[in-house]
Amino acid sequence: MKPEPRTLPPSPNWYCARCSDAAPGGIFGFAARTSVFLVRVGPGAGASPGAPPFRVVGELVGHTERVSGFTFSHHPGQYNLCATSSDDGTVKIWDVETKAVVTEHALHQHTISALHWSPTVKDLIVSGDEKGVVFCYWLNRSDSQHLFTEPRAIFCLTCSPHHENLVAIGYKDGIVIIIDISKKGEVVHRLRGHDDEIHSIAWCPLSGEDCLSINQEENSEPDIPNGKLIAETPITKGCYLATGSKDQTIRIWSCSRGRGVMVLKLPFLKRRSGGVDPTVKERLWLTLHWPKNQPTQLVSSCFGGELLLWDLTQSWRRKYTLFSTSAEGHNHSRIVFNLCPLKTEDGKQLLLSTSMDRDVKCWDMATLECCWTLPSLGGFAYSLAFSPVDVGSLAIGVGDGMIRVWNTLSIKNNYDVKNFWQGVKSKVTALCWHPNKEGCLAFGTDDGKVGLYDTCSNKPPQISSTYHKKTVYRLAWGPPVPPMSLGGEGDRPSLTLYSCGGEGIVLQHNPWKLSGEAFDINKLVRDTNSIRYKLPVHTEISWKGDGKVMALGNEDGSIEIFQVPNLKLLCTIQQHHKLVNAIVWHHEHGSRPELSCLLASGSNNAVIYVHNLKAVLESNPESPITITEPYRTLSGHTAKVTSLAWSPHHDGRLVSACYDGTAQVWDALREEPLFNFRGHRGRLLCVAWSPVDPECIYSGADDFCVYRWLTSMQDHSRPPQGKKCIELEKKRLSQFKPKLKKKKKPTLRLPIKQDSSIGNEDESVRENLAPVENGLSDQDGEEEAQEPELPPSPVVCGEPVSCTAVSLGLEKSKVTVSSKVASLKKEPPKEKPEALLKKRKARSMLPLSTSLDHRSKEELHRDCLVLATATHARELHEDVSADLEERFHLGLFTDRAALYRMMETEGKGHLESGHPELCHQLMLWKGDLKGALQAAAERGELTDSLVAVAPVAGYSVWLWAVEAFAKQLCFQDQYVKAASYLLSIHRVYEAVELLRSNHLYREAIAVAKARLRPEDPVLKDLYLSWGSILERDGHYAIAAKCYLGATSAYDAAKVLARKGDAASLRTAAELAAIAGESELAASLALRCAQELLLLKNWVGAQEALGLHESLQGQRLVFCLLELLCRHLEEKQPPEVRGPSSIYHQWAAGSEGTLVQRVTGVWRSAFSVDTPEQCRAALQKLQDVKYPSATSNTPFRQLLLHVCHDLTLAMLSQQAASWEEAVPALLQAVVRSYTSGNFTLMQEIYSAFLPGGCDHLRDKLGDLSPTMAAFKSLEAFFIYGQLYEVWWSLCGPGSESSIWVWSAESTVSDKQSKPGDSASAEDVEQPPGPGLRLSAESERLLSACKELFSERHASLQTSQRTVAEVQETLAEMIRQHQKSQLCKATANGPNRDEPSQQTEWAPSQPPSPTREERNAPVSLPELTRRLTEANERIAEFPESVKAWPFPDVLECCLVLLHIGSQCPGAVNPEMQQQAQKLLQKYGHTRAYRRHCQIRHT
């Protein structure tokens, strides 16, 4: 069985009464999110010597939502069984040895809140839910019992360790009951005393009530009945029960009396970091543990994470002892949720605690000191970074608002982790260590913050004053560029910090002065390179190791390479067509310095490309060039690639992290997948290679885990495909997805936070005490790391989730849509009666006065008297005035002041009844138009009619009214109408900005186009802004129109090309050609042709290439490729051929040789006839360079590259430039040879050199500098003919078919196993009767002397020696690590079988001989061999090393085998020469066995 990779697990779940437990013997488990992590504790953990004895050994995976309860079986013989409860409504029983579910039930209908495995009944599991329902489940008989005692929310429950039928239950309202499950849940005791939630219940480990000397009279509670006492109680001896509550008290209850006997009040303790204000009520969770062998002592948690050991013998003194009083910082810093005891194999009594500070701590109950700490993660692991100075320090950026720094080289502690949270307050999405300064760590967050931490001190971080508008995706240290590089050496830092944010901007920060302004490098890029088009949105930045070159990845998939000091654009890589997520330069300390120019990149399209920029960096082109072909292509992932890292120990070895849930190690030079890690349960976000261990890799994902794993321990070599990929996706989807709680009408606009899920802690307390906390929402899920597909994410379930006004608006809009849909389904309205069709009577303007005039006759008469008194009295008396005020409706018949009072009263009545427009009309009647407008504006009740009459009050009032109405309309989301009103008062710019800010770009452009000058910059800015948004949302065609409207045809063509299909690329190429962007048009036309090539649409490909004159050479290449594919297809049987292709008419002819047909089509279809035309096309094609082929190169790509070389050869031949024709033809042959495609190599010779190579020798002459290339070409020709002769000896039959198979396998694998070609030596077969070679074959064999080049044999042997020494050194390192691993695990669970652990490493290939196995080579001897081989290689002339040559020893073996089959067919001198070469140079591992067989 393999060891589990070292894990930094997710944080234990918060606010659960029992979500961790331990089994006797040393297994501890805790619930984290949707799973349970298992930790082996004690001597059996197999920890390294000197390190704490614990190790994460596995995970129980199966729940789909948060695990709310976890409990082990404490019965002998079934310590391997445990139970879990989850918010998904299930209770599962597990076997921790197999990590599989034994059984499960889903009896609960509501959220399960409590769980316990009975300590007295071996198969009884009791669970309770938030509605008060209790289920008893008997495992062995699969039986259950439903109990509903109290309609209250259960918070915790605990089965009695002394009586099998008693269960104590604690409720949210503070009630505690003890029930008898054998009597259908009958209440034995109802214990009242607590005022708040019951967090924990602990039974006294000893039965009876003699263990505590408690004076019942003194310590008893006030004589308040706690419920009825059952007459026939099952408790004969009685027992004590302890409960911990949120009301800050611990109560000890007597079960025989059914009442409380002791109250312990939690003390306010002064923290070591400073005092705590006792008036501040901190968040509290009070959990208890009653030690089994210490009934007079009780362990409890406290306010700030402290643990207290209470002495119950002296109840009047309330005496307690604080855990870990001597060790500074070993206590928890936040509240503790769970305590569980564990007895190890060596008899130690331990206590394990889980806390809000995300640490799991182990305490020695004998000393009350902390033994060890297991840190955990409360969010996505977004970023990993190893310090280049403090080797082994791994910084981890986590979504819980904290930075972890893990000392991975610590011998005493495998989990030596420091937390940094001050000043962060957000998800840490990017990290980068300073290359030279120890402890200097740069970090970026999802809210755009960039800061610097000094990890060697406790100082708060420095924060840059310039924030990004969106998430910070990448940080990098690089040399300063203008304007920061201006000034003397002492006035500026040697390295500055670059940050790339989600808005697409790269900022340069001065680490000496972060309070100063950061500079956007886009301005320097635009000025230096005179760029007039829109710069792409940047998503990634990476500096080359020497600090001279910077690479920028962009949202459109392009990668730009810039050169310091002024960021001159050297080249653009147009390979990816989706957002670039990762760019990494190869390290510079390998054995091959030229590899430092390799640049690996990953994007959203799952393919990794490696580009070799050596030629570009060395040539330093005057104008930027475009690269469209990769050096290597790494295919295999099935989702977007999020992170890449080169191995610092190997040349060309790369590891990638991907959303398909795996990390993949590649041999980038050979395009070969090596190892695939599938340990994560989520999408991988980051990966880092250990700087000290060649096999060790660290990876982080959205499963809240960081894994340390070894490459040699992996079962898989490539990412999952097909069904495996689907299974992995199901595994990932089984993670918990947070359910939004149903809320009643959310009327508030302010953010709403629930205390149970997020925690309502004072902001001041939050800042002073700890990092941003997310409560249960951390375990519920977190926003994906947005990449402009953010978290890419982001994902969006958040680390705390807030209900904002925006979300309410969205809900409202959804309701509106559904109501519209519902209205469509209604039946057509029925005809209404005529009475109902009558018009409604208009509402009265003066309803109160009208109603007062319809009172009783006496009241009306009284009105007349009051009115007469008021009109005829010279002076009004107080009582008359009072009557008039009371009878306001009489104002209609008295003076104006009374009328105004009446109108005011009527207006208030209209407002109260919900008719403000009538109130406004009354004010208009009074002539108070301005007042009416002001009143309506204050209440947000302006109307079109009110604003229409506003000019009557004057121009200024009208302007004010229109502005106020526009603001009101904005609050009502009527932005277009608001803009129209602003236009009526000539506020054009304000109207345009209003529409733009609310994403109404179409309307904004229409207004701006109609009212502003054509050259106004606002119009262009509108086009560009709308185009960017459309581009981001994938509406490329409309975005292109916007860029065209902004007179930016370059950007329009680029955005059209982002879709990547042939039609879009062709349109983009035509557009670029119309706009005069010739270079862009050519590159897009070529891409379009390549896409059509994949579809076998040769006609369309030629039409696309014909869009630009500079692609005339590529048209010739595609013409040759079409004719070659047609030629190869005609040789295949009809049933083997693929789908039909769309060929040209000129490809249908079959007259003449392939070369004659190609030259004929070139002449007729492309007008390439004269040597001058050939020379012009040749010059254009020579600028295109393709990388060398490997055995993993796709066949279509190989064909294109080969045809490019053949086109160069044919053009050179027609231009009579034989010095160029031979190397081009050799390059085509070598490509097919190195890719293992022997058939293609033979087709090249048969089509282009049907008569051999002699005529080329005559054209070149013996003194030609290209003669070395010619000899290699001739050697490959003879090499192919040699194999043809050997295969011709194999007649039909089973025996001969094996010979043919062996030869073919030799050709395909000759690069990796050159000696396999002579495997036939092991099965000598006499030649058949009458078997003879033809004269042509004998002539060919005599020409094989050209293959027996001693110089090439010596060179190839030296190269093989170097490769074998390097392989031996790597094997020695692996064996050393393997032995160290065996030593580290010698005391593990299987220490009696240490040999079993050697099976964890994959079996190594056996050595060829017994002598080699028994005679290991020393390191000095290997070093000597390596030095001598390198010295021999250096002595060879460049002409020999420059051109490839067939394997000389392989040719010797094949020739000798032919001689053994046909005696006399091979010249004896040649046989002697072959044997001599084998004896002299066959000492390498690849040929040693064959040479020994031949010698014997």
Side-chain angles (χ1 to χ4, degrees):
M1 181 179 176
K2 292 185 185 175
E4 290 287 333
R6 190 185 302 176
T7 309
L8 208 55
S11 300
N13 291 342
W14 295 356
Y15 300 107
C16 298
R18 183 181 285 106
C19 66
S20 67
D21 199 6
I27 282 288
F28 166 68
F30 63 88
R33 305 181 73 226
T34 63
S35 57
V36 174
F37 280 80
L38 303 174
V39 182
R40 171 73 66 180
V41 181
S48 55
F54 74 97
R55 180 168 55 94
V56 179
V57 294
E59 182 181 6
L60 304 181
V61 179
H63 286 293
T64 58
E65 296 187 29
R66 182 188 67 120
V67 176
S68 58
F70 175 71
T71 176
F72 267 108
S73 168
H74 290 263
H75 298 276
Q78 59 180 40
Y79 292 152
N80 60 315
L81 296 182
C82 62
T84 58
S85 63
S86 169
D87 290 350
D88 60 13
T90 63
V91 173
K92 295 180 185 287
I93 317 299
W94 305 79
D95 185 338
V96 296
E97 293 180 355
T98 62
K99 300 180 180 63
V101 176
V102 177
T103 186
E104 65 178 275
H105 73 76
L107 301 173
H108 287 278
Q109 301 297 317
H110 305 283
T111 302
I112 304 171
S113 54
L115 179 75
H116 193 211
W117 196 307
S118 172
T120 55
V121 182
K122 64 185 302 183
D123 65 336
L124 173 61
I125 299 102
V126 183
S127 55
D129 61 35
E130 62 181 12
K131 295 298 182 181
V133 177
V134 175
F135 274 99
C136 301
Y137 180 78
W138 285 270
L139 172 63
N140 292 342
R141 63 176 190 261
S142 297
D143 190 15
S144 63
Q145 181 181 12
H146 172 276
L147 306 174
F148 184 61
T149 307
E150 300 281 341
R152 297 183 172 93
I154 296 175
F155 246 61
C156 59
L157 62 81
T158 305
C159 299
S160 170
H162 312 299
H163 196 289
E164 63 181 21
N165 294 324
L166 295 185
V167 179
I169 305 174
Y171 292 93
K172 185 175 182 179
D173 59 3
I175 296 294
V176 179
I177 65 171
I178 301 175
I179 64 171
D180 187 341
I181 61 174
S182 65
K183 298 180 179 181
K184 298 183 178 179
E186 185 175 346
V187 176
V188 178
H189 291 296
R190 181 173 285 105
L191 308 176
R192 292 190 176 94
H194 288 295
D195 301 326
D196 212 333
E197 304 163 354
I198 305 299
H199 291 161
S200 180
I201 297 177
W203 292 86
C204 180
L206 296 183
S207 61
E209 298 183 356
D210 300 330
C211 56
L212 300 182
S213 57
I214 297 178
N215 188 329
Q216 301 287 351
E217 299 300 327
E218 291 183 7
N219 295 284
S220 60
E221 292 292 304
D223 197 10
I224 300 175
N226 287 316
K228 62 179 181 177
L229 182 66
I230 304 302
E232 296 179 3
T233 172
I235 306 178
T236 55
K237 297 174 62 178
C239 184
Y240 285 119
L241 185 73
T243 56
S245 170
K246 192 178 181 181
D247 64 7
Q248 306 177 18
T249 63
I250 302 168
R251 293 179 181 265
I252 311 295
W253 309 85
S254 168
C255 292
S256 62
R257 292 173 167 244
R259 62 190 304 171
V261 295
M262 185 184 300
V263 180
L264 304 176
K265 181 74 174 178
L266 289 187
F268 282 95
L269 303 173
K270 289 187 177 181
R271 297 195 179 176
R272 295 179 175 87
S273 57
V276 174
D277 184 0
T279 61
V280 178
K281 183 179 180 181
E282 295 190 27
R283 181 186 285 127
L284 173 65
W285 188 274
L286 210 170
T287 185
L288 303 174
H289 162 59
W290 209 322
K292 180 172 290 188
N293 298 325
Q294 299 171 328
T296 61
Q297 294 180 328
L298 182 69
V299 180
S300 79
S301 60
C302 199
F303 291 102
E306 299 89 353
L307 296 183
L308 308 178
L309 181 65
W310 296 88
D311 186 353
L312 304 181
T313 59
Q314 300 177 346
S315 58
W316 62 91
R317 297 178 59 182
R318 304 295 186 259
K319 184 179 178 182
Y320 61 84
T321 304
L322 192 64
F323 274 56
S324 189
T325 55
S326 61
E328 183 71 23
H330 279 198
N331 266 309
H332 286 291
S333 59
R334 312 308 297 274
I335 56 176
V336 174
F337 291 113
N338 293 130
L339 297 171
C340 62
L342 185 147
K343 186 175 182 180
T344 62
E345 296 172 348
D346 54 359
K348 278 190 177 181
Q349 292 289 345
L350 304 177
L351 182 68
L352 294 120
S353 57
T354 64
S355 166
M356 186 181 278
D357 64 7
R358 309 190 187 285
D359 284 342
V360 177
K361 290 185 179 290
C362 178
W363 308 86
D364 188 341
M365 290 299 294
T367 62
L368 302 186
E369 295 295 335
C370 181
C371 305
W372 48 261
T373 300
L374 172 62
S376 63
L377 307 182
F380 294 1
Y382 284 108
S383 180
L384 296 174
F386 271 104
S387 171
V389 180
D390 185 9
V391 179
S393 287
L394 175 64
I396 309 171
V398 190
D400 58 7
M402 285 196 284
I403 301 170
R404 273 79 166 178
V405 177
W406 185 0
N407 180 10
T408 59
L409 300 184
S410 175
I411 299 176
K412 295 183 178 179
N413 185 1
N414 291 333
Y415 291 95
D416 183 4
V417 177
K418 293 182 180 179
N419 296 334
F420 298 90
W421 52 265
Q422 290 181 332
V424 180
K425 302 179 182 178
S426 188
K427 303 172 190 174
V428 182
T429 53
L431 293 171
C432 188
W433 291 94
H434 194 285
N436 307 319
K437 187 177 179 182
E438 184 178 5
C440 183
L441 177 64
F443 68 91
T445 66
D446 75 325
D447 60 359
K449 183 188 305 176
V450 175
L452 282 180
Y453 242 117
D454 183 1
T455 60
C456 298
S457 69
N458 294 322
K459 297 178 181 178
Q462 305 175 57
I463 304 297
S464 174
S465 61
T466 307
Y467 277 60
H468 284 279
K469 294 180 181 178
K470 294 185 179 179
T471 302
V472 178
Y473 290 131
R474 190 68 64 196
L475 297 170
W477 292 94
V481 298
M484 204 169 289
S485 62
L486 305 177
E489 288 293 331
D491 300 333
R492 57 182 173 84
S494 60
L495 292 172
T496 56
L497 179 62
Y498 295 83
S499 59
C500 181
E503 74 277 18
I505 301 298
V506 175
L507 296 178
Q508 179 185 198
H509 307 262
N510 186 347
W512 289 2
K513 192 178 180 182
L514 283 177
S515 58
E517 182 182 1
F519 298 98
D520 183 356
I521 69 169
N522 274 353
K523 184 178 185 304
L524 178 63
V525 170
R526 191 181 292 276
D527 294 343
T528 301
N529 300 283
S530 302
I531 296 176
R532 66 183 187 278
Y533 52 83
K534 181 180 72 75
L535 290 176
V537 175
H538 305 308
T539 58
E540 179 71 347
I541 180 173
S542 179
W543 280 93
K544 195 170 180 291
D546 57 9
K548 296 179 181 179
V549 181
M550 177 184 71
L552 286 182
N554 301 316
E555 190 182 26
D556 60 3
S558 63
I559 300 173
E560 298 169 309
I561 309 299
F562 296 92
Q563 187 181 48
V564 293
N566 296 320
L567 298 187
K568 173 190 174 185
L569 181 61
L570 296 179
C571 70
T572 301
I573 301 172
Q574 296 284 357
Q575 203 66 57
H576 299 282
H577 305 312
K578 292 187 179 181
L579 182 144
V580 176
N581 292 316
I583 301 176
V584 284
W585 291 91
H586 194 280
H587 56 82
E588 300 191 329
H589 52 267
S591 60
R592 300 169 60 183
E594 69 275 8
L595 296 182
S596 65
C597 297
L598 293 184
L599 181 70
S601 56
S603 71
N604 285 358
N605 61 0
V607 180
I608 301 167
Y609 294 108
V610 181
H611 289 87
N612 190 347
L613 302 178
K614 182 180 179 182
V616 175
L617 300 182
E618 290 178 351
S619 62
N620 192 10
E622 288 297 326
S623 59
I625 63 174
T626 301
I627 298 176
T628 59
E629 287 293 329
Y631 175 67
R632 292 290 182 263
T633 302
L634 307 178
S635 302
H637 282 303
T638 55
K640 60 185 174 186
V641 177
T642 53
S643 181
L644 298 171
W646 290 102
S647 167
H649 314 282
H650 309 83
D651 288 336
R653 186 163 292 189
L654 183 74
V655 62
S656 58
C658 180
Y659 259 31
D660 62 11
T662 68
Q664 177 66 42
V665 179
W666 310 84
D667 185 338
L669 302 181
R670 297 165 55 190
E671 298 180 321
E672 181 181 352
L674 301 178
F675 311 102
N676 185 254
F677 175 69
R678 304 183 182 181
H680 284 281
R681 293 184 56 232
R683 297 164 294 190
L684 271 70
L685 303 176
C686 52
V687 68
W689 211 299
S690 170
V692 295
D693 189 343
E695 284 201 343
C696 178
I697 297 175
Y698 293 80
S699 57
D702 65 1
D703 59 0
F704 292 46
C705 287
V706 170
Y707 281 105
R708 174 191 182 276
W709 49 278
L710 302 179
T711 56
S712 60
M713 299 297 175
Q714 306 313 310
D715 293 330
H716 306 281
S717 62
R718 59 176 63 245
Q721 305 291 328
K723 292 182 179 179
K724 292 182 180 178
C725 189
I726 295 172
E727 292 172 2
L728 204 69
E729 183 67 10
K730 288 181 179 178
K731 175 183 173 184
R732 185 186 69 78
L733 292 177
S734 68
Q735 295 186 86
F736 174 57
K737 299 177 182 60
K739 292 192 299 184
L740 296 177
K741 295 185 178 180
K742 295 181 180 178
K743 298 181 181 178
K744 296 180 181 179
K745 299 176 182 178
T747 56
L748 296 178
R749 283 181 173 268
L750 296 175
I752 302 171
K753 296 184 180 181
Q754 296 188 3
D755 184 49
S756 63
S757 62
I758 298 172
N760 261 336
E761 187 173 18
D762 237 4
E763 286 299 310
S764 60
V765 176
R766 180 174 297 182
E767 287 185 13
N768 294 334
L769 297 184
V772 177
E773 8 173 289
N774 306 304
L776 291 185
S777 67
D778 270 353
Q779 293 128 12
D780 293 349
E782 165 184 314
E783 294 192 1
E784 197 183 312
Q786 197 156 262
E787 4 119 337
E789 193 182 323
L790 195 198
S793 211
V795 178
V796 260
C797 316
E799 279 171 25
V801 181
S802 299
C803 178
T804 63
V806 177
S807 63
L808 296 180
L810 291 174
E811 292 175 5
K812 184 176 179 181
S813 66
K814 291 179 182 178
V815 173
T816 305
V817 173
S818 61
S819 66
K820 289 181 179 179
V821 174
S823 67
L824 296 176
K825 298 180 181 179
K826 292 181 180 178
E827 297 180 0
K830 299 179 181 179
E831 295 185 4
K832 296 184 178 180
E834 292 183 4
L836 297 178
L837 294 177
K838 293 182 179 179
K839 294 183 179 180
R840 291 184 59 185
K841 186 178 179 180
R843 189 174 184 85
S844 172
M845 290 293 296
L846 303 171
L848 298 180
S849 302
T850 304
S851 63
L852 290 176
D853 283 336
H854 287 78
R855 292 179 298 169
S856 64
K857 185 185 296 183
E858 291 78 6
E859 289 295 332
L860 295 179
H861 291 169
R862 179 61 183 165
D863 289 346
C864 294
L865 295 176
V866 172
L867 183 59
T869 304
T871 54
H872 290 86
R874 295 181 179 178
E875 295 183 2
L876 295 178
H877 299 291
E878 292 183 2
D879 51 349
V880 177
S881 300
D883 286 342
L884 286 176
E885 290 182 3
E886 180 183 354
R887 301 172 185 272
F888 62 88
H889 63 291
L890 298 180
L892 191 63
F893 307 101
T894 57
D895 55 2
R896 181 176 293 179
L899 178 67
Y900 282 178
R901 287 197 299 272
M902 183 192 77
M903 287 184 170
E904 185 177 354
T905 304
E906 291 283 1
K908 290 181 180 178
H910 285 311
L911 292 176
E912 291 174 357
S913 60
H915 298 282
E917 70 282 356
L918 300 180
C919 176
H920 301 152
Q921 290 186 35
L922 287 176
M923 296 184 74
L924 290 177
W925 287 4
K926 290 195 301 182
D928 187 11
L929 179 56
K930 185 176 181 180
L933 292 170
Q934 288 178 343
E938 290 174 359
R939 299 175 58 86
E941 294 165 349
L942 283 172
T943 61
D944 297 275
S945 58
L946 278 177
V947 177
V949 299
V952 177
Y955 181 72
S956 61
V957 175
W958 174 61
L959 289 179
W960 173 87
V962 171
E963 290 180 354
F965 192 37
K967 291 180 181 178
Q968 176 184 313
L969 290 171
C970 289
F971 281 114
Q972 296 169 355
D973 297 339
Q974 300 184 47
Y975 304 111
V976 175
K977 189 175 181 180
S980 300
Y981 270 93
L982 289 175
L983 289 173
S984 68
I985 57 174
H986 305 291
R987 300 285 179 84
V988 180
Y989 287 103
E990 288 88 339
V992 170
E993 182 58 32
L994 173 64
L995 294 171
R996 171 183 177 170
S997 60
N998 291 283
H999 303 288
L1000 298 169
Y1001 284 97
R1002 192 182 297 274
E1003 293 80 359
I1005 290 174
V1007 170
K1009 197 88 172 174
R1011 300 291 290 270
L1012 299 178
R1013 300 187 312 276
E1015 63 273 12
D1016 196 306
V1018 171
L1019 187 58
K1020 183 175 182 179
D1021 191 40
L1022 279 173
Y1023 279 127
L1024 294 177
S1025 300
W1026 192 24
S1028 298
I1029 291 176
L1030 291 168
E1031 183 179 356
R1032 183 188 63 197
D1033 295 340
H1035 305 298
Y1036 299 129
I1038 307 176
K1041 296 178 186 178
C1042 291
Y1043 293 139
L1044 287 172
T1047 65
S1048 181
Y1050 183 92
D1051 296 323
K1054 291 267 289 187
V1055 72
L1056 269 178
R1058 285 196 59 183
K1059 189 151 185 78
D1061 62 299
S1064 300
L1065 290 170
R1066 173 159 186 160
T1067 305
E1070 292 177 356
L1071 194 156
I1074 294 172
E1077 300 286 352
S1078 58
E1079 184 178 348
L1080 178 62
S1083 65
L1084 292 175
L1086 181 58
R1087 277 183 56 192
C1088 176
Q1090 291 172 345
E1091 288 293 326
L1092 291 167
L1093 184 63
L1094 298 177
L1095 303 175
K1096 295 186 177 181
N1097 186 349
W1098 301 98
V1099 176
Q1102 286 290 352
E1103 290 177 354
L1105 293 173
L1107 295 174
H1108 206 275
E1109 295 179 357
S1110 65
L1111 297 177
Q1112 179 71 13
Q1114 292 293 340
R1115 298 191 70 185
L1116 302 180
V1117 174
F1118 274 62
C1119 170
L1120 174 57
L1121 178 59
E1122 181 177 355
L1123 292 171
L1124 179 60
C1125 288
R1126 185 64 181 264
H1127 176 71
L1128 294 176
E1129 185 177 313
E1130 289 173 351
K1131 288 192 172 184
Q1132 293 179 344
E1135 63 274 7
V1136 181
R1137 297 176 187 176
S1140 60
S1141 305
I1142 306 176
Y1143 289 109
H1144 287 87
Q1145 292 183 354
W1146 41 256
S1150 58
E1151 298 178 359
T1153 64
L1154 180 61
V1155 175
Q1156 293 172 345
R1157 290 164 58 192
V1158 170
T1159 54
V1161 174
W1162 283 2
R1163 187 181 304 109
S1164 60
F1166 302 103
S1167 302
V1168 177
D1169 192 8
T1170 64
E1172 291 76 14
Q1173 292 173 332
C1174 294
R1175 173 59 59 186
L1178 182 63
Q1179 290 176 351
K1180 292 178 181 178
L1181 287 178
Q1182 283 176 335
D1183 295 334
V1184 181
K1185 302 294 182 184
Y1186 290 119
S1188 58
T1190 67
S1191 57
N1192 293 301
T1193 302
F1195 183 68
R1196 291 181 183 274
Q1197 181 180 339
L1198 175 67
L1199 268 182
L1200 177 62
H1201 296 176
V1202 166
C1203 287
H1204 180 271
D1205 297 328
L1206 293 176
T1207 304
L1208 291 176
M1210 289 188 63
L1211 288 173
S1212 302
Q1213 185 177 355
Q1214 292 190 16
S1217 178
W1218 299 98
E1219 303 286 344
E1220 296 176 350
V1222 171
L1225 191 57
L1226 174 62
Q1227 184 64 34
V1229 172
V1230 170
R1231 283 188 194 279
S1232 55
Y1233 172 77
T1234 54
S1235 65
N1237 200 315
F1238 185 86
T1239 304
L1240 180 60
M1241 184 178 75
Q1242 292 301 91
E1243 286 294 339
I1244 293 173
Y1245 276 116
S1246 64
F1248 292 88
L1249 295 173
C1253 305
D1254 294 338
H1255 70 287
L1256 292 179
R1257 186 194 303 269
D1258 299 335
K1259 298 288 185 182
L1260 290 176
D1262 295 335
L1263 301 179
S1264 172
T1266 326
M1267 186 52 66
F1270 168 77
K1271 289 184 177 180
S1272 291
L1273 181 64
E1274 185 182 31
F1276 277 108
F1277 175 77
I1278 300 172
Y1279 171 83
Q1281 297 297 319
L1282 179 64
Y1283 267 98
E1284 293 286 356
V1285 171
W1286 184 26
W1287 293 338
S1288 67
L1289 295 177
C1290 303
S1294 59
E1295 294 291 334
S1296 49
S1297 65
I1298 297 177
W1299 290 85
V1300 175
W1301 179 87
S1302 300
E1304 289 177 345
S1305 66
T1306 303
V1307 174
S1308 61
D1309 296 337
K1310 53 187 166 292
Q1311 291 303 309
S1312 57
K1313 299 180 181 178
D1316 287 353
S1317 60
S1319 58
E1321 296 289 335
D1322 302 335
V1323 198
E1324 284 290 345
Q1325 179 182 357
L1331 186 62
R1332 296 180 58 85
L1333 293 178
S1334 64
E1336 180 66 22
S1337 299
E1338 293 180 354
R1339 185 193 64 78
L1340 173 69
L1341 292 179
S1342 64
C1344 286
K1345 61 182 179 181
E1346 299 293 338
L1347 295 176
F1348 298 160
S1349 169
E1350 187 159 353
R1351 286 199 305 177
H1352 286 95
S1354 177
L1355 174 63
Q1356 292 168 357
T1357 300
S1358 300
Q1359 292 171 339
R1360 277 192 289 267
T1361 301
V1362 171
E1364 289 181 5
V1365 169
Q1366 291 175 342
E1367 181 182 348
T1368 304
L1369 287 172
E1371 177 63 21
M1372 290 174 66
I1373 294 173
R1374 284 194 291 268
Q1375 292 295 338
H1376 175 72
Q1377 292 170 345
K1378 183 178 173 183
S1379 63
Q1380 293 297 319
L1381 178 64
C1382 292
K1383 290 180 181 178
T1385 56
N1387 297 323
N1390 299 325
R1391 56 183 174 182
D1392 295 334
E1393 302 176 10
S1395 60
Q1396 190 180 30
Q1397 297 175 12
T1398 61
E1399 298 176 4
W1400 295 344
S1403 58
Q1404 303 298 331
S1407 302
T1409 62
R1410 180 174 300 176
E1411 291 79 3
E1412 186 175 352
R1413 287 197 296 268
N1414 297 334
V1417 185
S1418 64
L1419 184 60
E1421 174 64 18
L1422 289 175
T1423 306
R1424 183 188 64 78
R1425 291 184 188 177
L1426 186 63
T1427 304
E1428 292 178 354
N1430 284 324
E1431 289 176 352
R1432 286 195 302 270
I1433 292 174
E1435 294 174 356
F1436 287 97
E1438 289 298 325
S1439 60
V1440 176
K1441 294 188 288 186
W1443 306 106
F1445 199 86
D1447 193 327
V1448 177
L1449 299 186
E1450 177 187 351
C1451 297
C1452 292
L1453 287 172
V1454 174
L1455 189 72
L1456 291 174
H1457 181 71
I1458 293 175
S1460 65
Q1461 277 194 307
C1462 298
V1466 181
N1467 190 338
E1469 294 181 1
M1470 291 182 61
Q1471 290 190 7
Q1472 291 177 3
Q1473 185 180 2
Q1475 291 176 351
K1476 180 180 178 182
L1477 288 173
L1478 284 171
Q1479 292 174 0
K1480 185 175 182 180
Y1481 299 108
H1483 54 77
T1484 56
R1485 187 180 305 165
Y1487 287 97
R1488 186 180 298 125
R1489 178 169 61 94
H1490 303 296
C1491 294
Q1492 289 175 349
I1493 294 173
R1494 176 65 60 183
H1495 182 69
T1496 55

